[in-house]
Amino acid sequence: MTPTTLMTSIPTLEDLGDVDGRQVLVRTDFNVPLTTGDDGSVSIVDDFRIRAAMATVEWLTERGAQVVCASHLGRPKGRVDERYSMAPVASRLAELAPGVELLDNLRFDAREETNDPTFVTELVEGIDLYVNDAFGASHRAHASIVGPPTVLPSAMGRLLQREVEVLSSMRDSPKRPFVAVLGGAKVSDKLGVVEALLGAVDSLVIGGAMCFTFLAAKGHRIGDSLFEPDMVDTCRRLLESGAAIHLPDDIVGLDANGNFATYGARLPDGAKGFDIGPGSAAAFSDVIMDARMVFWNGPMGMFEDDRFAAGTRTVAEAMADTKAFTVVGGGDSAAALASFGLEDRIDHVSTGGGASLELLEFGDLPGLAALRGAPNA
Ligand code: ADP
Ligand code: MG
């Protein structure tokens, strides 16, 4: 599918007609990182996803629409769980967009994830128009994503539009060398996209906990580092496919006694790897500096701990410095960039980790397909 057909068939805000006085349900992605203080109070670590929805919310309110936002937050398993209350988001939203309503956490109701038609009916009650601006949830066929466009005139919001434009052009007309940098915790989450990207990119750089499954597939000892035994064969097959896959050749972590330690690409028994080492970080930076397009998803290490943030920081700095067109996807990756103060030096920081990976992998998302089927499309 070319980017033009993917984009042109999806209605935009302009296709909603006159919004003055209309009730508009905006599916936002307010799934922000939260932290619990010593006193038990919950606060937002990074409000990036709330601010990212403002272009759409303001476009609507400036034209007289009454906006009702709806989002999920965390994984409350289909019942009310106060740990995932929308209250912290609601207070930030009230500062940014006074007068805008916010529904309770969509995932407090099990019918959201099962895409139950009775839940869709409740969501659209009293609503005239639907806007999907939740890029980060558009890879899920959940009620709030795919339901409303079956009954209401609908549109993609500005954020969703920009995300789809950038990621589909990256997929369909890459500038070369095109490099993908992948990290984060689990290979199994990302294996599909690793395989899809191998066909598209000139080289793949792998850090994060993911790298240990690949290192194990090369026959290296990885100590007690996180790894997924049932993914080893697949990783071996990818490594043997002849694709250009860069793995770390030094690792930073904790030894069996819990002391900070630096290793080569082999870890002794009891050692745990938590970050790529300085040599690998420099080598990965070189690959990024020489690229013309870079997609990065997943931190290079457990960056939340300062001792293991250096690899992620070095890669983030290369992303900021390179002349390449740079896209970063993933909640934790975006949070890492923000913590280094580098987010403004990235061409596009995606609000969706899984969604950006799936759009790169498949070239479409359930949420986009639903909008294409809306009555006004
Ligand atoms: P994103 O949200 O950007 O898609 P992921 O959710 O896939 O990223 O992964 C982020 C998590 O991976 C972070 O919490 C980070 O601490 C963890 N992580 C990265 N490298 C390691 C490692 N070597 N050991 C343990 N955890 C790791
Ligand atoms: Mg994450």
Side-chain angles (χ1 to χ4, degrees):
M1 182 180 295
T2 69
T4 341
T5 57
L6 176 63
M7 293 299 297
T8 50
S9 48
I10 305 174
T12 63
L13 294 177
E14 286 74 12
D15 298 312
L16 291 174
D18 188 4
V19 301
D20 190 16
R22 317 295 305 274
Q23 294 280 335
V24 186
L25 177 68
V26 182
R27 177 45 162 108
T28 50
D29 176 8
F30 290 160
N31 186 29
V32 293
L34 298 172
T35 183
T36 309
D38 295 337
D39 60 349
S41 67
V42 178
S43 57
I44 297 171
V45 177
D46 183 4
D47 68 353
F48 166 65
R49 285 180 166 175
I50 308 177
R51 286 183 285 114
M54 287 306 114
T56 296
V57 168
E58 282 164 11
W59 191 95
L60 291 165
T61 53
E62 280 164 9
R63 286 164 182 75
Q66 189 59 47
V67 173
V68 182
C69 290
S71 177
H72 70 286
L73 179 61
R75 295 179 189 272
K77 309 246 160 66
R79 51 188 133 72
V80 177
D81 180 338
E82 282 314 316
R83 286 174 301 168
Y84 302 109
S85 156
M86 283 309 238
V89 174
S91 34
R92 184 70 185 118
L93 183 63
E95 289 165 10
L96 291 167
V100 167
E101 241 181 275
L102 178 64
L103 299 186
D104 217 337
N105 191 335
L106 290 165
R107 290 190 190 162
F108 280 176
D109 194 313
R111 295 174 300 165
E112 162 67 355
E113 294 192 51
T114 57
N115 185 20
D116 189 318
T118 63
F119 191 55
V120 177
T121 306
E122 287 171 29
L123 278 176
V124 302
E125 209 189 298
I127 299 288
D128 303 307
L129 304 166
Y130 170 76
V131 173
N132 182 355
D133 214 17
F135 177 67
S138 290
H139 58 313
R140 307 269 185 235
H142 292 171
S144 65
I145 297 290
V146 297
T150 61
V151 288
L152 294 177
S154 301
M156 60 178 158
R158 289 295 192 252
L159 170 63
L160 182 62
Q161 188 173 350
R162 165 95 176 125
E163 295 272 14
V164 175
E165 271 166 14
V166 170
L167 288 156
S168 59
S169 78
M170 189 161 233
R171 184 179 193 271
D172 297 322
S173 40
K175 294 192 203 119
R176 300 195 177 278
F178 177 18
V179 174
V181 182
L182 295 179
K186 284 168 87 184
V187 184
S188 48
D189 282 353
K190 297 182 183 177
L191 200 66
V193 79
V194 169
E195 299 205 74
L197 283 171
L198 277 176
V201 299
D202 299 289
S203 60
L204 190 59
V205 173
I206 296 181
M210 270 179 83
C211 76
F212 299 109
T213 307
F214 279 91
L215 290 173
K218 284 178 75 171
H220 291 196
R221 290 164 62 201
I222 54 162
D224 287 346
S225 308
L226 271 186
F227 94 116
E228 291 168 273
D230 50 345
M231 288 286 132
V232 170
D233 285 341
T234 313
C235 291
R236 188 177 300 121
R237 183 169 53 74
L238 294 175
L239 289 168
E240 285 169 358
S241 70
I245 299 181
H246 300 272
L247 292 171
D249 48 25
D250 57 352
I251 296 289
V252 162
L254 297 177
D255 67 17
N257 300 318
N259 297 316
F260 184 86
T262 305
Y263 302 104
R266 292 176 168 77
L267 276 72
D269 288 346
K272 288 192 177 80
F274 288 117
D275 194 11
I276 59 171
S280 307
F284 289 3
S285 295
D286 288 344
V287 176
I288 292 168
M289 294 307 292
D290 290 341
R292 289 189 58 216
M293 194 152 99
V294 190
F295 173 78
W296 177 28
N297 169 272
M300 295 292 100
M302 211 173 68
F303 74 98
E304 298 91 340
D305 182 327
D306 283 343
R307 294 173 297 173
F308 307 117
T312 303
R313 179 189 288 273
T314 302
V315 163
E317 283 166 353
M319 291 293 286
D321 289 341
T322 181
K323 290 196 178 65
F325 181 76
T326 47
V327 178
V328 176
D332 293 290
S333 310
L337 269 180
S339 74
F340 307 138
L342 294 172
E343 72 266 53
D344 294 342
R345 295 177 57 202
I346 304 299
D347 290 295
H348 180 72
V349 181
S350 174
T351 49
S356 61
L357 293 171
E358 280 198 27
L359 189 50
L360 286 174
E361 183 176 350
F362 302 115
D364 202 5
L365 299 173
L368 302 178
L371 291 172
R372 248 184 252 119
N376 62 326

